[in-house]
Amino acid sequence: MREVRIRTEYITLGQLLKLTDCVGTGGQAKALLLSGAVRVNGEADARRGRKLYRGDRVSVEGRGEFVIV
């Protein structure tokens, strides 16, 4: 599980996907999310704007798992 360090209160799910190189653009993020390949804290989520806070865990099918710290 890779740690993703943030300096702000939160990061959006779309930003996380780009930051971790799971996708290159916001459009690719949208497509990936709509495919159901992304889970946040164990539940599928398709919202690019979903706010992620420290302690949240994100799993991206075929790309790995991440924890916000």
Side-chain angles (χ1 to χ4, degrees):
M1 182 169 300
R2 286 180 33 196
E3 291 184 350
V4 177
R5 296 195 181 279
I6 60 173
R7 296 183 189 148
T8 58
E9 182 182 356
Y10 65 86
I11 185 172
T12 65
L13 184 52
Q15 290 172 328
L16 174 84
L17 294 174
K18 289 191 284 186
L19 179 67
T20 57
D21 293 324
C22 290
V23 297
T25 67
Q28 291 173 340
K30 184 176 181 177
L32 180 65
L33 290 165
L34 290 175
S35 75
V38 179
R39 301 181 77 73
V40 177
N41 297 325
E43 297 181 14
D45 201 323
R47 298 174 291 163
R48 275 189 301 177
R50 162 85 187 255
K51 293 178 182 176
L52 302 171
Y53 298 91
R54 287 173 185 82
D56 282 341
R57 296 174 181 269
V58 177
S59 174
V60 182
E61 196 173 296
R63 293 176 176 89
E65 295 184 13
F66 309 92
V67 62
I68 310 299
V69 294

